[in-house]
Amino acid sequence: MSRSRAWPSFVAALVVLALGALVAVGVGQALGLSYEPADTPPAAVSAVDLDPLVPAPAIATIDVPAGEQVALAASAVSDALTTRGLPAPTVGVGTGDADLTVSLVPPFTDSAEAYRVRTAGRLVLEASETAGAAAGLYALADRIRSGAALPADGAAVEPRLGLRLVDSGSVGREADPAAFATGTDYSLNTDVVAGAVLPEAPWVDQDVVDEIDAQFRQLVQHALRHGYNGVVVPGFLEYVTFSGVGDGHEVYPEGDPHVARAEAMVEAFGPVFAYAQDMGMHVYLLTDMLAVSPPLEAYLERTVGGLDVDDPALWSVYQAGLSELFESMPFVDGLMVRVGEGGAVYQAGWDFSSRLAVTSQSSVQAMLNALLETASAHDREIIFRTWTVGVGAVGDLHTNPKSYEAVLGGIDDPHLIVSTKYTMGDFYSHLPLNPTLETGSHRRIVEFQARREFEGFGALPNDLVADEAQALQQFLAANPHVEGVWNWTQDGGPLRAGPMTLYLRTGFWQMYDLNTYGTARLAWDPDLEPSQVTGDWVRQTLSSDPATSTEITEALARSREAITRGLYIQPFAEQTVKALGLEPPPMMWIFEWDIVTGDSAALDSIYEVSRDGLDVAIADGAGAAEVSAGMREQVASTSPDTWHSPELYRSFVDALDYETDLLGTLAAYRETVLRHAEWLDTGSATAHDQWRAAEQDYRAARAAHVERYSGDLDLPAYLFTAADLGSDRADRDPAMAWAARGLLLAVVVVLVLGFTSARLPGAAALRALVVAATRPWRLGDVPAPTTRADRVLVWALPAVVLVLSRCVYTWFAAPAHLVATLGAWLVLAGVLRWVVRGRDPFHLWAALGGVVLLRTVILLVALVVRGPGRYWFGFWTDPAARTAYITVAFAAFCWLFVVVALVLRRAYGLGTTRSLGATLVAGGTALAVVAGGVAVIGLERALTIWNDQMALLPWGLSRILGITVHLGIPPSSAGVLAVVGIVVAAVGVALALAGRRAPDLTVAATRL
């Protein structure tokens, strides 16, 4: 009899174990950590050997052709001479016998920017076009400012790369101390003109327009002097009325304010941006696609059924808008398009926004074919950025040559330019160079970032010239279609989550102007010696004193070592890593800009990858701080009197003080988390002691760093909230391990007492719990006790064990986890108690309590080693342990419902159908209540609260990207699960009712 009753349970046990194994495999595939060495280029090294400083040439008069463009370039020469202490020259048109004569001559190369300089008693600069004359004058001004000899051998000079773009810098942005003070404004909007927009007619504030105009002119003039010939300005829909769609009022009906506002915007800002073209620069507008406004989105819904980005009818609307733009703003050379980012975080405060809709190969091709058709008709260009997200070929279009060819290989149009970041990913160090820039037949430009967002937002010395020279030389050797660069002077990352530096206007912006200058110089001549380029910039910007400029240049030559060792954990950074189904960036322990993370997913994975080079990884942190301190000593030893201003000297020394302090703090934290992970991994007493000692150093350094730099708008303190959360939980690991051991021992004692049927108060309850945990099919044979102690103990003991074990599991620090877990148990128990209403609930409590004890034993076995930290360490880094645990744990979860069905059938005689129905009602209701509660709170908010308390995933995810967005979790998931729970409960109700109306088939068969 016993065997016949047991075998279905054994089958059920095998089934739930199989289910657990399937879940474990699925989780392993989603979370599995894998890594392989990345093809990181060797560190670019440039020996500092600066050319000697030569006297400035005696140029008292300059003769130039007529035109504002050349006159502006001549003013750069004049300013260079006065900077060197000479009188400003006289600039005239057709004066003759000048010290410097600029002449337009027949073409001698194919480049419009080509020039040559020769000496004929006096300097003569010859060019075939105005662009070349201006380029030559800017180059001479640069040589004069650098203290270099002027080229005068008559050789033709032309740029190696003909398109040299900058972003819009800090134009349209304001140094608002209140906005920058919190350091947590993660808005990514780069709009230039929103500050001038009014909510009603006249729609544009002319005073603000004038301010933006002055800022834009400053940017254009500075960029021209550096050697750039193009600017990229955000904008598209705000200048478009869609008058070419239908009767002109289909997108925006008559009287719609979008029309009047767009017309006012064109009238106000057309002359502002046209100034760049007047001065010889290309002008491109930049937009995300799909760009939308509420009326436009409504129109697309009416006409093409929504945002169907594969439908040519949708793109015909954008073609009409683009054609209108080219006609109303004829100075615009083309449109730059990005499809990989968008949404509310990029909005400018008005109703233009973007959607991440162009995410498939077919939609990218449909978009480009449509836009190129319009651009070709107007002889303009489309610049397509390969910074993409999505599935299939588009998902890795940015870095995968095969995907690049699949998506873009079939598009052959001379009006298409493809723009790509130079690294294989975002602008991090240690990444390989982007292989897609070495392939393809399209015109290509290379993207660089001067104000490195992930490396202190330009607040840290960071000389990228040698790295960029190395990259350009490799790309040009491999791909003859590379024809330009696009340098970001200010853009990248949030606008106000870093130092309050605005390019050319506020703060120590000179720190990253070095990279802006270097990019342009290398675009003209990639074979220049990088250290000489840096030295030229130093002489122009900081100090022309030979000794001082050499010291500064040498210090900057060491800046990359400090950055790449201090902000990155090198053994991890130089691997191509996959985890959580994603490819984490090479920094990771500093999540998105300035948040020092404390989550176990990142830190345990970094340790696992770095395990074989752990001592080197830890030593790098202290070594980087020493490099920074040496740079500081080198720069500070120079005399402020030899700098162009004492303020520049002070700013540079302050920046090095900041870097040294920051890298020292990070070095202590690096050792803390890696030694803690080593202890979790090995249990080594030495690792434990090293962890504790490093943690003391870290806490002292962190407190000093925050006290010193908190509230500093120029050199803001890094954010250690997430690190503190992780450290607090790590500190509790040893105590939690002992608590788990004690609790496990107590549970084992209970089980032993239950097996031995000791004559103790509550023995009947213990016996029932043991039977429920080990042989639930026999629970119905256990007689109900008569004592109150047994009736209380049978539910109170498992309840206490459940609460205590989950508190230990969450370090007594995650009430959200307890609320969800205990809430589900309470709902389940409450529904089942209602099912057996009017009957003795003893066997029900025993069944639930037995499963609680069984699942708790499984959990505690995982916690006794070194606490919850070791549990999660194994989860993230040990596939075998993770698979085994999930298999057993999930099987135990499913086993709960098997046991519930068994006890309802055997102890309460509900029959198979009713028992199954009641079990489904209880399980479905619990799911519906918990998931419904999460849906009411909001899935993103609920996950944020839970993750903040558990410190499992990067704390910054929800603040910046959103956990659901980053991990691809549909926001509706909680609501869907709630509905599933309701459906399951409804099915259970139907089964229960059916079981009441008809005799149970098994019982009927038995009676027969």
Side-chain angles (χ1 to χ4, degrees), residues 101-449:
T101 300
V102 181
S103 301
L104 296 179
V105 299
F108 48 90
T109 74
D110 293 334
S111 172
E113 294 181 292
Y115 66 90
R116 61 192 177 200
V117 180
R118 59 184 175 82
T119 301
R122 294 179 174 87
L123 286 173
V124 176
L125 189 158
E126 297 177 334
S128 61
E129 297 189 29
T130 300
L137 286 168
Y138 287 124
L140 291 178
D142 177 77
R143 298 295 77 213
I144 294 170
R145 291 195 306 270
S146 301
L150 300 185
D153 57 2
V157 179
E158 59 183 292
R160 177 66 175 82
L161 299 177
L163 188 59
R164 303 174 302 282
L165 304 176
V166 291
D167 63 3
S168 55
S170 65
V171 174
R173 306 180 192 179
E174 294 306 319
D176 182 349
F180 279 88
T182 62
T184 56
D185 182 349
Y186 296 108
S187 168
L188 298 173
N189 168 56
T190 57
D191 183 81
V192 170
V193 300
V197 178
L198 298 174
E200 56 188 19
W203 304 110
V204 177
D205 186 329
Q206 190 58 46
D207 290 338
V208 179
V209 173
D210 292 342
E211 293 175 6
I212 293 173
D213 182 40
Q215 295 167 9
F216 188 71
R217 287 172 179 255
Q218 179 190 32
L219 172 74
V220 166
Q221 293 170 17
H222 191 78
L224 286 167
R225 292 188 178 195
H226 274 351
Y228 291 95
N229 67 351
V231 61
V232 179
V233 181
F236 172 45
L237 282 190
E238 53 264 57
Y239 305 107
V240 173
T241 66
F242 291 102
S243 59
V245 177
D247 63 1
H249 302 292
E250 296 195 11
V251 175
Y252 297 132
E254 284 192 72
D256 190 306
H258 287 82
V259 175
R261 184 171 61 190
E263 292 172 346
M265 294 285 287
V266 171
E267 182 178 357
F269 285 103
V272 173
F273 302 138
Y275 173 77
Q277 186 195 56
D278 294 341
M279 295 302 105
M281 297 191 83
H282 301 283
V283 180
Y284 294 91
L285 293 187
L286 165 66
T287 187
D288 287 324
M289 278 293 176
L290 207 60
V292 293
S293 64
L296 173 58
E297 206 162 356
Y299 173 77
L300 294 174
E301 183 69 37
R302 294 194 306 271
T303 56
V304 298
L307 304 183
D308 185 355
V309 290
D310 287 307
D311 191 339
L314 178 143
W315 292 114
S316 69
V317 179
Y318 288 90
Q319 286 180 284
L322 184 60
S323 181
E324 178 189 347
L325 177 76
F326 288 151
E327 291 169 1
S328 64
M329 305 179 84
F331 58 87
V332 172
D333 291 275
L335 185 69
M336 180 180 284
V337 177
R338 177 178 71 174
V339 299
E341 293 187 52
V345 74
Y346 297 91
Q347 282 188 254
W350 44 356
D351 61 352
F352 295 116
S353 61
S354 58
R355 300 284 185 270
L356 276 174
V358 186
T359 57
S360 66
Q361 177 175 330
S362 58
S363 61
V364 170
Q365 292 169 343
M367 176 191 73
L368 288 178
N369 285 328
L371 297 181
L372 284 168
E373 180 181 358
T374 302
S376 300
H378 291 267
D379 195 23
R380 310 293 173 83
E381 293 167 325
I382 298 297
I383 301 179
F384 175 63
R385 296 193 59 209
T386 63
W387 187 246
T388 50
V389 295
V391 296
V394 176
D396 60 354
L397 171 64
H398 180 62
T399 58
N400 188 334
K402 292 183 179 178
S403 297
Y404 180 96
E405 179 62 26
V407 176
L408 301 177
I411 300 177
D412 181 15
D413 193 311
H415 298 89
L416 173 64
I417 302 174
V418 180
S419 179
T420 303
K421 292 181 181 180
Y422 84 102
T423 46
M424 195 173 175
D426 215 335
F427 290 116
Y428 290 96
S429 298
H430 294 287
L431 286 174
L433 298 179
N434 198 322
T436 66
L437 279 163
E438 300 181 17
T439 62
S441 59
H442 306 99
R443 301 166 62 191
R444 304 297 295 276
I445 57 177
V446 184
E447 298 178 13
F448 294 107
Q449 185 180 46

Side-chain angles (χ1 to χ4, degrees), residues 388-702:
T388 50
V389 295
V391 296
V394 176
D396 60 354
L397 171 64
H398 180 62
T399 58
N400 188 334
K402 292 183 179 178
S403 297
Y404 180 96
E405 179 62 26
V407 176
L408 301 177
I411 300 177
D412 181 15
D413 193 311
H415 298 89
L416 173 64
I417 302 174
V418 180
S419 179
T420 303
K421 292 181 181 180
Y422 84 102
T423 46
M424 195 173 175
D426 215 335
F427 290 116
Y428 290 96
S429 298
H430 294 287
L431 286 174
L433 298 179
N434 198 322
T436 66
L437 279 163
E438 300 181 17
T439 62
S441 59
H442 306 99
R443 301 166 62 191
R444 304 297 295 276
I445 57 177
V446 184
E447 298 178 13
F448 294 107
Q449 185 180 46
R451 184 181 186 254
R452 291 292 280 261
E453 59 188 286
F454 302 110
E455 295 171 358
F457 281 108
L460 307 177
N462 199 1
D463 182 357
L464 298 167
V465 179
D467 293 67
E468 293 187 5
Q470 177 178 259
L472 283 176
Q473 289 167 6
Q474 180 169 322
F475 297 145
L476 289 169
N479 188 351
H481 304 295
V482 173
E483 64 175 57
V485 296
W486 179 28
N487 177 68
W488 302 5
T489 67
Q490 180 82 25
D491 282 350
L495 305 187
R496 291 175 289 272
M500 195 172 69
T501 49
L502 299 179
Y503 188 57
L504 305 181
R505 296 167 52 213
T506 302
F508 193 33
W509 55 266
Q510 290 87 350
M511 189 67 78
Y512 50 93
D513 183 57
L514 162 61
N515 298 322
T516 298
Y517 174 82
T519 301
R521 287 287 303 278
L522 293 172
W524 272 85
D525 185 357
D527 296 323
L528 288 172
E529 171 57 40
S531 66
Q532 185 62 54
V533 174
T534 298
D536 288 347
W537 176 85
V538 168
R539 287 173 173 174
Q540 294 182 29
T541 309
L542 302 178
S543 173
S544 57
D545 178 79
T548 297
S549 60
T550 298
E551 293 289 343
I552 298 171
T553 305
E554 288 178 348
L556 286 169
R558 305 169 65 191
S559 64
R560 292 297 294 151
E561 181 184 0
I563 292 287
T564 56
R565 292 176 67 190
L567 296 183
Y568 298 83
I569 298 175
Q570 190 166 334
F572 176 84
E574 294 193 344
Q575 300 284 324
T576 298
V577 179
K578 293 185 179 180
L580 295 174
L582 305 168
E583 293 189 19
M587 188 174 287
M588 201 58 196
W589 70 306
I590 305 173
F591 183 82
E592 299 299 87
W593 308 298
D594 61 353
I595 300 173
V596 183
T597 198
D599 62 284
S600 60
L603 297 178
D604 291 347
S605 299
I606 289 172
Y607 166 82
E608 175 65 17
V609 175
S610 307
R611 184 202 307 259
D612 294 338
L614 196 64
D615 291 336
V616 173
I618 291 172
D620 268 348
E626 291 175 2
V627 171
S628 180
M631 293 165 57
R632 194 266 182 204
E633 181 178 353
Q634 192 168 16
V635 172
S637 67
T638 64
S639 171
D641 295 337
T642 62
W643 289 59
H644 291 323
S645 77
E647 291 76 18
L648 290 172
Y649 169 86
R650 187 72 261 160
S651 294
F652 206 118
V653 173
D654 286 348
L656 287 167
D657 281 335
Y658 173 72
E659 180 177 44
T660 303
D661 181 271
L662 173 64
L663 296 186
T665 304
L666 293 176
Y669 184 67
R670 172 199 305 238
E671 182 170 8
T672 299
V673 296
L674 291 180
R675 291 304 184 194
H676 172 249
E678 183 182 21
W679 173 72
L680 292 177
D681 180 28
T682 66
S684 163
T686 300
H688 177 275
D689 293 343
Q690 291 173 325
W691 156 40
R692 289 303 201 185
E695 185 177 31
Q696 290 183 358
D697 293 340
Y698 157 66
R699 292 196 181 279
R702 172 212 177 278

